[in-house]
Amino acid sequence: MNTPNIVVCIKQLPSSKTVRIDKKTGKLVYGTEETINPPDRNALELALQIKDKKGAKVTALSLTSEYCDAVLREALAMGVDDAIIVTDKIFKSADSILVANVLAQALKKLDYTLIIFGENGCGIPYASAYTGVRVAHKLNLPVVTGVCDAQLDENEIEVLRKTDMYNEILKIPLPAAISVRIDANKPRFLTARNINLAYKREIKKWSAQDLIDVSKIKTAYKVVNTNLRFEKSACMLFTEGDASTKVAALMKFIKNRLVIQRL
Amino acid sequence: MKLKVIPEKCNGCGICVDACPFASIKIEDKCAKILDTCTDCGACVDVCTEKAILAEEAEVPVYRNIIVFTTLDDNKYPKGVENLIGIAHELAARTNERVEVVTCCEDARSCEKTMDMLFKAGAEKAYLIEHKFLKEFQPEIYAKVIADFVKSKKPKIFLMPATYDCNELAARVASILDIGVVLNTTALNIDEFEGHLLQTTQIFDAQYDATYLTDGRPQITTVCVSALPQMTFENEARGEIEVVKPELDLSEMKIKKIKSTSLEKEPLTLKNARIVLCCGRGGRNNLNNLNELARMLDAVVCGTKGCVDAKVITDDLQVGITGESVAPDIYIACGVSGAIQHVDAVKNAKLVVAINKDGNAPIFKIADAGIIGDLNDILPAWIEYLKSSRR
């Protein structure tokens, strides 16, 4: 059996401290993207677990608008064999369609058996979601979301998929793409030695120009405006009125603050 | 406009190759071939001496009406679909369009009763996509069927309830159609000038509201129905049902299901509860009220070290650096002063709410919101508030 090639696509997120609204355009602006999208750690962990069990070559692939390799160093420290970064200014205002197109073109250059994504969380800018599904569609691959565990065989992969309502076990022929849930596993700890070694390794740099025709970019999202819903600041105290008025005001505050319930 | 070469007329002279400003045409086997990079500028049409390149006026497809999709589980639709139809009505009224529903099923006749309920909620027509493979939700098959349906019916706006399954389905359909999609929208609006749908969703841990306009038709979105105002609609007329019978080639479907189990509701623990209520020393005498409130909020009650020492709370429910750490969505501290040993264990909670008699208690320094008041008043008022809001 040939060694399978696993590619893990990692999203870089800007640190939330640098985020603000541009008053003129109504768009969010933020500093350098430097933290890893949390579920992508679980995606890396799943890839490395497969590597530990069966042997595999694991490659981490990431797109950024400005060169920043902290996230890929982290992946290298976790134990991936190869790291590739695609950098271009056009990603500054990229939407999921553009990102998926570039990722698909980059993946075409790699020899892959399995592509792993982290499932999108809620706190992501341009939450157009499910980039993995789009990439897989571009590459004409079967894709399964909500994956918690995977067993890689020669020609197929068996995955455990979890949703809100049910668990299921699915078999997918290879090559395939999966996206991993944030509660799928516990990402491994980084040792000081591995972090140190990670900074001595080489990261391959690609440019978007090599992959797509930048003059013919297709985007489908226009940001009309962005509003700050609340400042994360000092404690909001409810002191006016009697007990029931205070409780009502508190409940209103809580409802506004929470990430939306689906139904 | 789309360009087409007529092979019988083309003599392969190559004038068009020189004329093309985008290098999008080449000669293959003595016949011009237009490449994917063509921008339909028409430069080649003008120079061709043989009139072998034709410009076809492409038909502009008309997208009209709003279609609401729902999954059916055992002939039941998710709660909120009726309200979603009401919301669709509100949007459709502004541009004078119709609201229709579509669903997938194994046997169309068995869902007619369910459709009657949706007609009552305001749907004017129902499409039933019937096939024996559509019995249960399978993302791959459903996505193909719905994408084909959307292509043929051309709705302007395609709405779904923001359930787990529908979110995934929306993403898959949008990637098949290569158009944008916005998930979990909390507000919908119609652009006054063009009549496009403006979709608002929460980003960055719900700290920001972002409004998007997606290109391409239809505009697909999944809606968090509970976040929008209630729009009930009473419709007397019974709409028309159209049964759609798709042809499915199962060999295209690569994903095979081996086993499926529905999930039992797990018992609430400190780790999986989304809301944690903490009893501090100030809350010792209010344990009954706390338990009652926890039951109503689906929360778990825990305690500080002081409370555990006083044997009010068992020690497996102690939160603090000598006990458990928690990271719920909401952490409600009742009569907790906020010693650092306790506060450190809840630093990952998304929202900290404090109720305390003492306005100077350190817990208010880390809390996002709080009430200064006596638990003896606040807790009964809270329980009463929840009871009355559920009625």
Side-chain angles (χ1 to χ4, degrees):
Chain A
M1 177 179 166
N2 297 333
T3 333
N5 284 310
I6 304 175
V7 183
V8 185
C9 298
I10 310 175
K11 182 180 174 122
Q12 309 203 8
L13 293 181
S15 155
S16 60
K17 283 177 197 151
T18 62
V19 179
R20 63 186 173 81
I21 296 175
D22 185 333
K23 291 243 163 63
K24 271 186 205 149
T25 59
K27 285 183 186 175
L28 286 181
V29 286
Y30 33 81
T32 314
E33 295 151 3
E34 54 204 1
T35 49
I36 187 166
N37 181 31
D40 294 354
R41 282 201 188 99
N42 304 83
L44 283 167
E45 176 61 35
L46 187 68
L48 293 169
Q49 280 176 7
I50 294 172
K51 182 186 167 184
D52 292 346
K53 260 183 247 162
K54 292 257 162 103
K57 184 180 174 235
V58 181
T59 308
L61 172 67
S62 185
L63 309 186
T64 58
S65 53
E66 282 164 51
Y67 184 79
C68 174
D69 60 13
V71 168
L72 285 171
R73 298 282 175 206
E74 187 176 334
L76 284 168
M78 277 179 87
V80 306
D81 302 289
D82 222 341
I84 301 167
I85 187 164
V86 185
T87 315
D88 202 299
K89 286 261 177 315
I90 56 165
F91 299 138
K92 195 86 191 171
S93 55
D95 63 15
S96 65
I97 290 193
L98 174 60
V99 168
N101 276 336
V102 178
L103 275 178
Q105 292 305 325
L107 284 160
K108 272 183 195 165
K109 288 193 163 191
L110 298 164
D111 180 23
Y112 53 80
T113 324
L114 178 66
I115 306 169
I116 308 186
F117 297 87
E119 201 112 295
N120 274 351
C122 273
I124 289 158
Y126 297 99
S128 30
Y130 291 106
T131 306
V133 171
R134 277 197 198 273
V135 174
H137 187 80
K138 286 259 177 300
L139 297 170
N140 207 6
L141 296 180
V143 56
V144 170
T145 61
V147 170
C148 276
D149 198 9
Q151 306 288 336
L152 193 67
D153 289 323
E154 186 131 9
N155 295 319
E156 60 185 12
I157 180 168
E158 192 175 304
V159 298
L160 169 65
R161 174 175 189 259
K162 278 191 187 175
T163 77
D164 289 355
M165 307 290 289
Y166 46 87
N167 289 352
E168 52 190 13
I169 295 170
L170 304 167
K171 267 194 181 157
I172 331 162
L174 293 172
I178 56 175
S179 70
V180 177
R181 276 172 77 108
I182 193 163
D183 54 359
N185 50 34
K186 208 172 162 199
R188 55 194 64 190
F189 283 111
L190 308 180
T191 61
R193 185 184 137 77
N194 284 346
I195 296 173
N196 207 347
L197 288 175
Y199 275 86
K200 291 182 181 143
R201 304 261 296 275
E202 191 208 355
I203 291 178
K204 287 179 194 152
K205 292 170 199 165
W206 289 2
S207 154
Q209 264 91 0
D210 307 340
L211 301 169
I212 53 160
D213 184 352
V214 181
S215 63
K216 279 203 179 166
I217 286 171
K218 186 186 167 197
T219 54
Y221 292 82
K222 200 172 116 199
V223 181
V224 179
N225 64 24
T226 319
N227 291 318
L228 184 68
R229 299 181 67 236
F230 53 82
E231 291 275 5
K232 277 184 184 159
S233 58
C235 180
M236 178 82 183
L237 282 180
F238 300 100
T239 49
E240 299 287 309
D242 61 354
S244 45
T245 343
K246 286 179 192 169
V247 165
L250 179 68
M251 284 301 280
K252 202 174 159 204
F253 174 88
I254 292 176
K255 273 187 191 143
N256 184 40
R257 268 298 185 89
L258 280 186
V259 176
I260 29 149
Q261 299 279 308
R262 287 212 180 91
L263 276 180
Chain B
M1 194 164 74
K2 201 163 168 37
L3 302 180
K4 199 176 149 192
V5 179
I6 302 164
E8 295 81 36
K9 286 191 183 174
C10 182
N11 58 10
C13 67
I15 295 179
C16 49
V17 178
D18 301 331
C20 180
F22 299 100
S24 300
I25 199 160
K26 66 174 181 183
I27 304 292
E28 254 180 18
D29 297 334
K30 291 191 180 168
C31 179
K33 193 185 168 210
I34 295 169
L35 306 176
D36 293 345
T37 49
C38 174
T39 60
D40 303 330
C41 69
C44 48
V45 181
D46 301 338
V47 296
C48 184
T49 50
E50 306 295 314
K51 302 218 181 312
I53 302 178
L54 276 188
E56 290 178 340
E57 288 300 322
E59 275 178 49
V60 182
V62 184
Y63 289 89
R64 276 195 70 76
N65 300 332
I66 299 181
I67 297 189
V68 175
F69 171 82
T70 172
T71 48
L72 283 185
D73 183 20
D74 216 3
N75 271 340
K76 279 195 227 55
Y77 45 83
K79 64 171 183 179
V81 170
E82 287 171 358
N83 197 14
L84 185 59
I85 293 173
I87 293 161
H89 248 285
E90 173 76 16
L91 297 171
R94 293 194 222 166
T95 45
N96 244 333
E97 288 177 343
R98 281 155 59 91
V99 177
E100 301 170 340
V101 289
V102 58
T103 186
C104 297
C105 60
E106 188 191 17
D107 175 22
R109 248 178 303 167
S110 69
C111 346
E112 280 178 12
K113 273 211 176 97
T114 318
M115 290 303 116
D116 280 347
M117 278 148 77
L118 293 178
F119 288 137
K120 221 175 181 179
E124 286 160 73
K125 186 175 180 181
Y127 297 97
L128 289 170
I129 306 178
E130 181 193 53
H131 199 285
K132 62 180 175 193
F133 296 126
L134 298 173
K135 188 180 178 200
E136 50 192 13
F137 181 78
Q138 288 184 62
E140 202 183 17
I141 301 176
Y142 266 54
K144 188 180 180 307
V145 168
I146 295 297
D148 287 345
F149 171 80
V150 167
K151 267 188 229 160
S152 70
K153 298 295 175 211
K154 297 192 179 20
K156 191 169 137 197
I157 296 169
F158 196 66
L159 302 176
M160 304 188 192
T163 58
Y164 192 99
D165 288 342
C166 284
N167 271 343
E168 171 161 4
L169 183 63
R172 283 182 186 256
V173 171
S175 30
I176 294 175
L177 301 173
D178 206 16
I179 54 176
V181 57
V182 180
L183 303 181
N184 299 329
T185 47
T186 52
L188 295 173
N189 216 332
I190 297 279
D191 175 8
E192 279 177 35
F193 307 106
E194 312 252 349
H196 296 308
L197 184 68
L198 301 176
Q199 303 144 68
T200 305
T201 187
Q202 300 177 353
I203 57 173
F204 267 113
D205 278 334
Q207 205 182 350
Y208 294 91
D209 263 340
T211 305
Y212 296 100
L213 174 63
T214 48
D215 270 356
R217 288 280 183 237
Q219 289 184 286
I220 300 187
T221 183
T222 65
V223 187
C224 293
V225 181
S226 64
L228 279 88
Q230 195 80 24
M231 298 270 185
T232 38
F233 194 90
E234 285 286 328
N235 189 11
E236 290 304 312
R238 194 174 178 283
E240 168 200 354
I241 292 181
E242 184 181 328
V243 179
V244 182
K245 292 191 175 173
E247 275 180 31
L248 279 177
D249 181 7
L250 268 209
S251 62
E252 273 178 45
M253 306 299 150
K254 294 171 185 164
I255 301 167
K256 238 192 298 169
K257 193 186 281 190
I258 308 293
K259 205 174 104 187
S260 176
T261 44
S262 24
L263 287 185
E264 307 265 318
K265 213 176 171 190
E266 284 178 40
L268 278 182
T269 65
L270 262 188
K271 292 286 172 203
N272 69 15
R274 295 187 57 196
I275 305 177
V276 170
L277 272 170
C278 183
C279 171
R281 253 189 294 194
R284 276 182 299 185
N285 304 324
N286 275 296
L287 209 60
N288 285 341
N289 277 337
L290 275 175
N291 283 330
E292 171 74 8
L293 185 60
R295 200 180 53 76
M296 298 189 80
L297 290 172
D298 266 338
V300 165
V301 178
C302 67
T304 59
K305 184 159 189 300
C307 249
V308 173
D309 288 348
K311 304 256 185 282
V312 178
I313 298 273
T314 52
D315 59 0
D316 56 321
L317 291 172
Q318 181 193 331
V319 169
I321 54 171
T322 51
E324 299 282 335
S325 301
V326 290
D329 287 353
I330 315 176
Y331 179 78
I332 304 169
C334 302
V336 177
S337 61
I340 185 74
Q341 292 87 336
H342 176 72
V343 164
D344 191 65
V346 298
K347 64 184 175 208
N348 289 328
K350 291 205 179 98
L351 192 69
V352 176
V353 176
I355 304 167
N356 207 306
K357 263 200 291 202
D358 179 7
N360 294 322
I363 188 78
F364 288 117
K365 290 217 171 68
I366 66 129
D368 297 288
I371 295 177
I372 301 171
D374 196 334
L375 284 177
N376 292 321
D377 305 332
I378 304 291
L379 291 181
W382 200 336
I383 292 166
E384 196 47 46
Y385 175 88
L386 290 173
K387 270 186 191 156
S388 63
S389 68
R390 271 169 214 191
R391 239 172 254 145

